[in-house]
């Protein structure tokens, strides 16, 4: 087993209270992630207490956890590693209340046999249940030496976000609260920081003088699954834009922080949010895929959008006048996650009219936000042979090229580890989330009508008018090169 570099894991042993331990997210991501972090040696000592509505004992939870690993773990589960992990598991049904939970945590801390350890409460529960769990943790006296991870959405508008934060702060300090966005846990999100601030090549041109527009595009092929009830209360804008796409935008648009540390990075992200102009309904296209209203749990007259595209602006010195185009939706033609930066074209061309210059649009720098990150820089180059004919070419990098793709942590693994270490770099603050709901208010109060689009398409037709005279980068005219093929 590879040696874990110092500083990557937490300093202290951890007692994890996993609320919603038998739910879908816990089974798919959290339990496999905790298993990997424990078995790979990232955590110096760990005890995990499952909590949920299901009435079961510790042995029942171990069987449930083993089933989750067998079904969803992307890594092989060795018998010795499983035995060690199973020994860390305990369970308390939610109906047992605060005293039973307090007793289980104290028992876990004693079993670690060290004078000091930390507590991590992961609330993998719907927002409607989160506050009652927070109050239970307070009643159990489990606030001290603890951090709490919260799942989205963090409110559904400004008033609800302010209310939620106020009630959270009655029990936990802001420094203890980690609002999770798994998009920011992916390797490419941090690669943007490295790409911008560690290289002298691109940061000097990362501004309105050289960049024409920016696209953040996250289409999904999936439908709702069993989330119709949740989705009817939120829609694509609340579900994806506020909690995911705006966070990615902040990493892309922020000023250089004074240090690569959580507080300076959070402050620069919040400066981006403070500089955002309110979202105008005229700059938004809402869509709903045909057949959505006939799905189980959906109102037959539902006005909920399953697709949203918008144009927004950051009114500061670096980005004034540069439009940011965001798009996401369900049941679309492809599932992709990209940031594409379009550079301004030269002000005058010396090339002949039939050379091909400008025929394929501006040069783009594109980041693929998949777990194994990729990036591409497109440019014009001369076609071999006589005369001056230009083609669009590209330089591409993929994590596969480094031979280190096996060392990539999954998003939830990285974020759990960061929360254990107290590193808030990739998490959202109360100030940031409230500001995003504030700039969203004009749209939420007067949303444009939803327009139908066919499942398997790229959304309703007005999305092309929204971005005109530009064009959406997706679908790609040129596919990513296959890293497994030479040439």
């Amino acid at each position: 087993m590879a040696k874990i570099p110092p500083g990557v894991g937490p300093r202290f042993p951890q007692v994890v209270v996993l609320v919603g331990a038998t739910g879908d997210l816990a089974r798919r991501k959290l339990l496999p992630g905790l298993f990997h972090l424990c078995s790979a040696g990232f955590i110096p000592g760990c005890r995990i207490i499952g909590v949920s509505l299901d009435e079961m004992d510790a042995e029942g939870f171990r069987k449930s956890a083993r089933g989750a690993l067998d079904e969803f773990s992307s890594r092989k589960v060795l018998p010795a590693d499983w035995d060690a992990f199973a020994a860390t598991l305990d369970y308390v049904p939610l109906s047992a209340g605060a005293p039973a939970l307090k007793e289980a945590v104290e028992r876990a801390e004693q079993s670690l046999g060290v004078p000091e350890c930390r507590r991590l409460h992961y609330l993998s529960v719907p927002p409607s249940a989160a506050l009652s769990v927070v109050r239970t943790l307070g009643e159990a006296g489990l606030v001290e030496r603890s951090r709490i991870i919260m799942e989205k959405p963090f409110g559904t508008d400004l008033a609800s976000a302010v209310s939620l934060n106020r009630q959270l702060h009655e029990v936990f300090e802001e420094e203890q609260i980690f609002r999770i966005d798994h998009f920011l846990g992916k390797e490419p999100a941090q690669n943007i920081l490295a790409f911008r601030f560690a290289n002298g090549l691109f940061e000097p041109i990362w501004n309105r003088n050289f960049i024409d527009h920016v696209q953040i595009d996250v289409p999904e092929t999936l439908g709702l699954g069993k989330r119709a009830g949740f989705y009817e209360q939120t829609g694509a804008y609340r579900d994806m834009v506020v909690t995911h796409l705006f966070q990615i935008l902040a990493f892309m648009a922020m000023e250089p922080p004074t240090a690569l540390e959580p507080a300076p990075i959070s402050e620069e992200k919040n400066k981006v949010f403070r500089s955002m102009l309110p979202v105008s309904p005229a700059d938004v296209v809402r869509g709903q895929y045909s057949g959505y209203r006939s799905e189980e749990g959906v109102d037959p007259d539902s006005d909920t959008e399953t697709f949203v595209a918008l144009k927004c602006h950051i009114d500061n010195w670096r980005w004034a006048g540069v439009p940011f185009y965001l798009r996401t939706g369900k049941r679309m033609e492809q599932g992709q996650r990209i940031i594409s930066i379009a550079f301004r074209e030269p002000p005058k061309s010396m090339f002949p009219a039939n050379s091909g210059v400008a025929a394929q649009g501006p040069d783009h720098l594109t980041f693929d936000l998949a777990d194994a990150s990729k990036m591409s820089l497109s440019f014009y180059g001369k076609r071999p042979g006589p005369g001056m004919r230009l083609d669009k070419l590209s330089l591409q990098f993929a994590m596969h090229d480094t031979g280190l793709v096996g060392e990539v942590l999954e998003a939830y693994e990285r974020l759990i580890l960061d929360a254990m270490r107290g590193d808030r770099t990739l998490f959202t603050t109360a100030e940031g989330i409230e500001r995003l709901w504030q700039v969203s208010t004009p749209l939420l109060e007067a949303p444009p009508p939803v327009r139908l689009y066919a499942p398997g398409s790229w959304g309703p037709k007005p999305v092309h008018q929204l971005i005109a005279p530009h064009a959406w980068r997706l679908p790609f005219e040129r596919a990513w090169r296959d890293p497994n093929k030479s040439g």
Side-chain angles (χ1 to χ4, degrees):
M1 184 181 297
K3 186 177 180 182
I4 304 302
V8 171
R11 292 172 53 205
F12 300 100
Q14 304 283 320
V15 174
V16 178
V17 176
L18 179 56
V19 185
T22 59
D24 188 62
L25 177 62
R27 289 179 56 79
R28 287 179 178 274
K29 296 292 184 181
L30 305 183
L31 286 167
L34 286 166
F35 170 77
H36 177 237
L37 294 177
C38 291
S39 60
F42 283 99
I43 309 172
C46 188
R47 297 291 184 270
I48 299 165
I49 301 168
V51 179
S52 80
L53 293 170
D54 293 322
E55 296 291 335
M56 65 171 72
D57 58 11
E59 187 56 36
F61 179 49
R62 292 186 187 105
K63 290 179 180 177
S64 175
R66 181 60 203 242
L69 295 184
D70 289 341
E71 188 173 357
F72 297 114
S73 178
S74 60
R75 302 173 177 92
K76 188 174 182 180
V77 181
L78 299 176
D81 291 337
W82 164 251
D83 290 343
F85 184 69
T88 71
L89 302 178
D90 198 359
Y91 185 81
V92 176
L94 201 57
S95 60
L101 183 56
K102 178 180 177 66
E103 181 182 338
V105 171
E106 290 177 344
R107 188 166 61 244
E109 291 177 340
Q110 291 169 5
S111 72
L112 287 166
V114 293
E116 189 172 12
C117 57
R118 296 287 186 268
R119 301 158 178 167
L120 181 71
H121 308 307
Y122 197 122
L123 272 56
S124 178
V125 295
S128 57
L131 286 174
S132 65
V133 174
V134 167
R135 286 190 284 270
T136 299
L137 293 171
E139 293 169 12
L142 299 177
V143 176
E144 186 182 1
R145 293 183 283 111
S146 75
R147 300 180 177 112
I148 181 169
I149 296 179
M150 305 283 297
E151 283 283 345
K152 65 165 185 148
F154 314 117
T156 55
D157 54 21
L158 179 58
S160 61
V162 170
S163 175
L164 174 62
N165 287 329
R166 185 184 69 250
Q167 294 179 76
L168 287 174
H169 293 156
E170 290 174 359
V171 181
F172 289 92
E173 299 293 332
E174 174 64 19
E175 291 71 25
Q176 295 177 283
I177 302 169
F178 290 72
R179 299 170 186 83
I180 195 167
D181 173 12
H182 71 274
F183 270 50
L184 294 189
K186 294 179 178 295
E187 199 75 38
Q190 294 158 88
N191 221 352
I192 294 170
L193 295 182
F195 190 86
R196 285 189 60 188
F197 301 131
N199 300 295
L201 181 60
F202 284 100
E203 182 57 24
I205 61 172
W206 208 268
N207 56 58
R208 59 187 172 86
N209 296 320
F210 299 94
I211 292 177
D212 183 79
H213 68 276
V214 177
Q215 297 180 33
I216 301 175
D217 205 355
V218 186
E220 298 180 294
T221 57
L222 297 175
L224 299 184
K226 299 179 180 179
R227 301 173 69 226
F230 164 79
Y231 209 79
E232 274 288 275
Q233 303 300 316
T234 54
Y237 184 83
R238 289 179 170 92
D239 183 42
M240 290 291 292
V241 177
V242 175
T243 51
H244 293 323
L245 273 62
F246 279 159
Q247 304 301 325
I248 296 170
L249 183 151
F251 266 97
M252 189 270 155
M254 64 188 274
E255 296 295 320
T258 55
L260 198 65
E261 296 175 357
I265 290 176
S266 290
E267 174 57 21
E268 295 305 333
K269 287 171 59 184
N270 285 339
K271 284 181 183 177
V272 172
F273 299 147
R274 290 196 289 268
S275 299
M276 287 178 65
L277 295 177
V279 178
S280 169
D283 291 332
V284 179
V285 175
R286 297 168 69 234
Q288 186 185 90
Y289 63 79
S290 299
Y292 170 77
R293 294 178 182 177
S294 62
E295 294 195 12
E296 185 179 354
V298 173
D299 185 336
D301 299 317
S302 175
D303 190 46
T304 301
E305 79 278 359
T306 61
F307 169 98
V308 66
L310 62 145
K311 176 170 63 175
C312 59
H313 296 273
I314 301 171
D315 191 25
N316 63 15
W317 192 272
R318 183 182 290 261
W319 296 112
V322 176
F324 287 74
Y325 298 99
L326 282 57
R327 178 173 68 169
T328 185
K330 300 288 188 185
R331 300 287 300 275
M332 297 184 70
E333 182 176 314
Q334 294 178 21
Q336 296 269 4
R337 295 171 178 176
I338 69 159
I339 303 174
S340 195
I341 297 148
F343 292 100
R344 294 192 183 279
E345 299 193 65
K348 184 172 176 59
S349 175
M350 62 184 178
F351 296 93
N354 63 350
S355 66
V357 70
Q360 299 182 55
D363 300 335
H364 284 84
L365 175 65
T366 302
F367 293 88
D368 185 340
L369 299 179
D371 281 321
S373 57
K374 295 180 285 192
M375 64 182 70
S376 169
L377 176 64
S378 68
F379 57 93
Y380 283 102
K382 182 184 178 300
R383 183 185 299 178
M388 182 59 73
R389 290 286 298 167
L390 304 181
D391 285 328
K392 204 71 166 186
L393 310 173
S394 69
L395 297 171
Q396 294 190 11
F397 162 82
M399 186 64 69
H400 290 275
D401 299 336
T402 66
L404 300 174
V405 70
E407 298 187 19
V408 173
L409 286 178
E410 292 190 357
Y412 282 100
E413 296 172 353
R414 178 183 305 280
L415 293 169
I416 289 171
L417 207 58
D418 282 354
M420 287 178 172
R421 295 167 54 227
D423 185 337
R424 297 165 55 84
T425 302
L426 302 177
F427 295 86
T428 309
T429 65
E431 176 191 341
I433 202 68
E434 289 177 13
R435 171 58 183 166
L436 290 175
W437 285 121
Q438 185 179 21
V439 302
S440 301
T441 298
L443 171 63
L444 299 179
E445 290 183 343
V450 293
R451 300 173 182 270
L452 293 179
Y453 64 97
S457 71
W458 284 99
K461 289 183 173 58
V463 297
H464 303 295
Q465 298 162 11
L466 175 71
I467 201 171
H470 314 299
W472 291 101
R473 188 82 170 123
L474 289 174
F476 284 131
E477 292 180 7
R478 292 168 301 282
W480 292 101
R481 283 198 285 269
D482 187 343
N484 299 314
K485 293 183 180 178
S486 60

